[in-house]
Amino acid sequence: MIKQLVACEIGPNYQVDDGFLALKLLVFYPFIRFFAKGESYKQLFTQLVSDNGYIGYVDSGRTGLTLLLKSLQLESDCEVLIQGFSCIVVPNSVRNANLIPVICDVNEDDYNIALVDAEKKITPKTRVLIVQYPFGMVPNVDKILVFCKKYNLILIEDCAHVFNQNVLIDGETKKIGMLGYGSIYSFGRDKVVSSTLGGAFLLNSTDPDTLTAIKNEYEKLPIMNLFKELQGLWYCVLTVFIIRPFYFYGFGKLVLVLARKLHMIGEIYTNKEKQGFADLGNQSKYSPVLAILLNNQLKKADKTKEHRQKISRIYNSILGNQTQDQDNLIRYPIRVPSEKYYQIKSTLKKNHVLMGTWYNSVFIPSETDLVYLNYHHGQLPVCEKLIKNQLINLPTNLNITTSKAGEIAQLIKPILTLT
Ligand SMILES: Cc1ncc(COP(=O)(O)O)c(C=O)c1O
């Protein structure tokens, strides 16, 4: 039996065609670096995201979020409502823009910001609400829009987990990402479309002052450095040709560890970020070389969406509609009794599946000390409950087949139903 890795992580979106493309980019790197304009992805991205508004392409979602927040030109003690059950770069971006993150609890059903808790935390200084769409789950956006209107809040959409998704508002179809002041996207390694590194911001506001502010900040950014570009390409090549196929033979895992040690593969978070500092030094524009890889992913965006829907429906039909008919999911979240968590994990591992662990702390990575966010235990009861081994994620990416998805669900089902 072939022990091919199935996972939510480790280059989940990269397929053999991406691997060959990245290899070609590596081989001809000096030539491509010098001549690549890498413009064709912009047309595809615009079609999928919005053909209105101003889009800037940057090195990461976190840079995009910082730029959007800065463009608001708010006083430095203004507050931004964000949710826990997220990634540390979100509050860091708020701090980066000299604003104060106010952390709110999440809903148990869609893992999005709990407006009941947000309402309690509103002060005269609250100016912004960031909605996150964890796992690609879209909450009742009408409620969020009404909430923002009621409290005069600026809405920013963090679309790091959602892409190419429509929503019905008052009988009208709208695109997620176009509902508020602006939105951000990530092309990070585990995201919906990936070039290992990268991101974008979309400014929907047409206010000329804001537009000038964001353009000025954006233009000031340097181009992505060569080392990071190369790390991005290596990550794709190694995950497709070595790490994933040979992971369960030991060799793949070894290459992953070695490549990290040798800095052929970069880290998702810098040490500074883990210590709670927003790492301004790393910010740059996007890379015209990685853009070629992104272009290939964007060409597959509709196929990827269809595939994710198909896989989510299989999980839903066998495991009892855990996601309330949401099916454009970057990962499929399942609530599990905490005492079954490790049993499920090891059963899946024996079948060459690594389950995802979003989120095993209020903000990942779990080693981040949240003292600098004034976070204290008990502040977010739902988040704190969920992170205690109550949620697992199953893969929905192109590297999992429909039959494997069925097999995974059938493996988990008896564990969940057994009391
Ligand atoms: C919810 C959320 N927002 C923003 C980001 C930032 O994306 P990036 O890694 O591209 O900076 C991430 C990813 O880490 C995320 O999970």
Side-chain angles (χ1 to χ4, degrees), residues 59-63 65 86-87 89-90 132 158 160-161 184-188 191 198-199 268-269 358-359:
D59 64 322
S60 62
R62 60 201 91 171
T63 300
L65 187 55
S86 179
C87 172
V89 302
V90 177
Q132 184 183 297
D158 178 341
H161 299 180
I184 66 113
Y185 301 83
S186 169
F187 316 139
K191 298 303 174 0
I268 298 178
Y269 311 100
W358 281 357
Y359 287 97

Side-chain angles (χ1 to χ4, degrees), residues 229-248:
E229 268 179 350
L230 287 170
Q231 282 184 324
L233 295 176
W234 272 119
Y235 182 77
C236 179
V237 171
L238 292 176
T239 54
V240 170
F241 296 118
I242 301 176
I243 299 171
R244 293 182 71 94
F246 299 107
Y247 190 87
F248 283 106

Side-chain angles (χ1 to χ4, degrees), residues 1 69 86 89 104 109 157 162 196 214 219 234 276 325 351 355 368 370 389 403:
M1 185 178 47
L69 288 164
S86 179
V89 302
C104 303
D109 52 356
E157 298 174 80
V162 70
T196 310
I214 206 160
E219 287 311 324
W234 272 119
D325 296 324
N351 288 275
M355 68 181 202
T368 311
L370 300 181
N389 297 341
S403 62

